[in-house]
Each structure stands twice: as C-alpha cells, then as structure tokens.
Amino acid sequence: MTISTLTERALIARLHARVPPPPEWVSIGMGDDAAVLVPERGCHDVVTTDALVEDVHFRRAWSSPRDIGHKALAVNLSDLAAMGATPRAVLLSLALPPDLPLDDFDGLVDGFLTLATTSRMPLVGGNLTRSPGPLVLDVTAIGIARPRRVMTRAGARPGDRLYVTGALGAAAAGLAMLQADHAASPDDEAAAECLRAYRRPAARLRTGAIVARNRVATTCMDLSDGLANGVRQIAEAGGCGAKIDAASIPVHAGALAWSAVRGGDPLTLALSGGEDYELLFTVPPRRCRRFLAAIRQAGEVPVAEIGVCTQGPDVVLVRDGQRTALPVGFSHF
C-alpha cells in the first residue's frame, strides 16, 4: 500500500495514533489550526527550522525511513544545542510523493517520534501535503533558555581559544562509503560508526546546555556545514581572525581509515565534509579551566583545543609549519 490509498484525514489519524499524550503545559496540541503552549517562566523561546529534501540531504536507497525521520529532528536539535537551549516542542511538516509506501510513512514518523520522546520534546503540530517530486521533511523545533545563558555565533575576541567536541569527518566518510557502494564489514566498527554518523547524527544537547549554564564560552556554533565553515562564521561575526592547528584537529578513526584506502586527505573530510553536528566553542583563556570542567560534567564527548582567535581578519590553517588559508566549508549553493 502507498499513502495515496488513504485520505489525508486517515494519514493524519495514523500519525496521531503514534503520538504520546502531551505534557500539561501544552494547552492546545495537535488537531487544531495552531498549537498553544504555556510559556516557561523566566525563559526565552529559542526557535529553529530545517528542511531535509530527498536526493539533496538523503537518499532512500541509503537510509531507512527511521533513519530519515531521526535525522530530520536531530539536525534541529543540534541547532538548539549550539544555543544552549533545552528542547521543548516540535512541529513536523511532510511533503509526500503519492507513491511513498505506507510502511515508509510509518517508519519516518516512528524514527522522528522515538528521538522526540528521548529528547522530551512533544510533537504539537505540523502539516501533511502532496509532493509532485521529492520527499521533504520540514521541522520547526522550539527550545527554552534563560536570557543570559543563550549562546550565539557573535562574541569571539582575539586570544579566545577554539575548542571542538568529538571527532570530525565521520559523516563525510560515511557518505563517501555509500557513494562508493562500500558496505562496512561486521568487524569494522570505525566504518560502521561513520555510516551511523551520516544516517543518525547525535546532537550534543547536554554539552551545549551545561556550557551555557556555566557561562564559560563566548560563542558556540554547530558544525552542520563543516569545521572550516564554522570557524569562518565565528571569526566574521566577532570581527577577528583565527589560526587553526591542523595537527590538533580530532579526525575520526573511520575517516582516517577511509582516506588511507582511497588515497584522500582525511583533513579535508574533517574541515569541509559537514554533517558532523559537533559543537565549536570559543573560550577566553581565563575561563578554560571552568569550560573543561563543564565538558567533564556533561560527559557526552571530549573536546580538543584546535586554535586561537587572532587580531587580524585572516583565517589560516597551520600544517607542518606552513600557513595557508583555511579551506572553504560546505556550501548549499
């Protein structure tokens, strides 16, 4: 069966049947023209949106419906993490091709709702519509944060240290494996991690929230479009430059192994690949100790110090003693 065998009302009812009851602060939830939420006292709303388009952000041949539903929410959660926000509610709009199998529709919804439930983020509304072309998932995520704890991309100053969470290049390596029709062997955990990183990214929500609570970072940004892009945007927003030490960039073991097999440069995957959804922070030297304590408290992933913000506008990469311009990160156009 495909979704075209059901009416719109029947599809909506099928989705509603999977949604858990909302918390008390959802005054009006799914089923009306709009949702109504009771404000959280003393907090600002933090709102973000992202769309995933078939054959641009995913391919159904490479990712299961559950993977796609998970990813659609995870990329929005990563934006909330970068702002130091706690998830509160989410809206999901689906543009569905009429030949989409009904089982795939159920899988998309289940993958999305599983992550939403884990993140304590009720689905409070959205929309269903027909697509004459690709499958599209459009998500609006709402978080909350105390006014003085919201982190932004602006605020970096010369002398601030640059830190990045986790290891980079895994998702880019996973995508390259899929493009090359390379299946990870059962005992190749590093390659399997790369495929998972591409299909089911993890948002660093706890890390972002705890760093924001301790007010130790001057800026934060998620690395959806790659480390090089993130460094450039933070430097531009702060009116400063940056110097990145290539040897300090934490490249994922799977990206290193894939590059060794294919003869590529693993640093390119880490700098320009994108879709890592790790967090990039700038931290004043006097706060570094407190920042590292907050990272240990979060307990999600380690951080690596990769460089420093500088006076001039130049954003450079230092590799083997040579200074070069930092590569351009991923661009959507």
Side-chain angles (χ1 to χ4, degrees), residues 32-164:
D32 221 304
D33 287 329
V36 179
L37 312 181
V38 177
E40 181 75 12
R41 185 175 180 180
C43 287
H44 286 178
D45 291 330
V46 181
V47 185
T48 185
T49 186
D50 262 305
L52 264 63
V53 180
E54 184 179 3
D55 294 331
V56 176
H57 300 98
F58 64 88
R59 291 189 186 179
R60 279 190 269 167
W62 292 347
S63 299
S64 72
R66 283 179 172 268
D67 290 338
I68 297 165
H70 172 105
K71 189 171 185 176
L73 179 53
V75 301
N76 285 272
L77 290 175
S78 186
D79 285 334
L80 294 182
M83 305 294 287
T86 299
R88 192 155 198 249
V90 66
L91 297 98
L92 171 65
S93 292
L94 297 171
L96 306 170
D99 62 350
L100 182 75
L102 194 56
D103 286 346
D104 285 9
F105 173 82
D106 292 342
L108 289 170
V109 172
D110 289 344
F112 185 92
L113 290 176
T114 297
L115 181 57
T117 300
T118 302
S119 306
R120 299 181 180 179
M121 194 177 207
L123 179 64
V124 297
N127 185 56
L128 293 181
T129 189
R130 179 188 296 264
S131 169
L135 169 65
V136 180
L137 299 87
D138 189 23
V139 177
T140 298
I142 304 168
I144 53 172
R146 300 287 179 185
R148 299 181 67 187
R149 294 178 182 173
V150 176
M151 297 186 293
T152 69
R153 299 178 184 184
R157 297 292 179 266
D160 285 359
R161 294 339 189 223
L162 286 148
Y163 288 90
V164 68

Side-chain angles (χ1 to χ4, degrees), residues 2 25 30 33-34 51 71 79 86 92 94 100 127 149 173 200 210 222 234 236 252 277-278 310 330:
T2 65
W25 49 262
M30 296 182 65
D33 287 329
K71 189 171 185 176
D79 285 334
T86 299
L92 171 65
L94 297 171
L100 182 75
N127 185 56
R149 294 178 182 173
R200 292 202 176 203
I210 290 179
D222 90 320
I234 280 178
E236 182 178 346
H252 190 276
Y277 299 102
E278 297 293 349
T310 58
F330 175 81

Side-chain angles (χ1 to χ4, degrees), residues 67 70-71 170-171 174 177-178 188-202 252 275:
D67 290 338
H70 172 105
K71 189 171 185 176
M177 292 174 192
L178 292 167
D188 190 350
E189 180 57 28
E193 287 179 2
C194 291
L195 293 171
R196 281 196 298 270
Y198 171 74
R199 289 170 171 151
R200 292 202 176 203
H252 190 276
E275 293 203 286

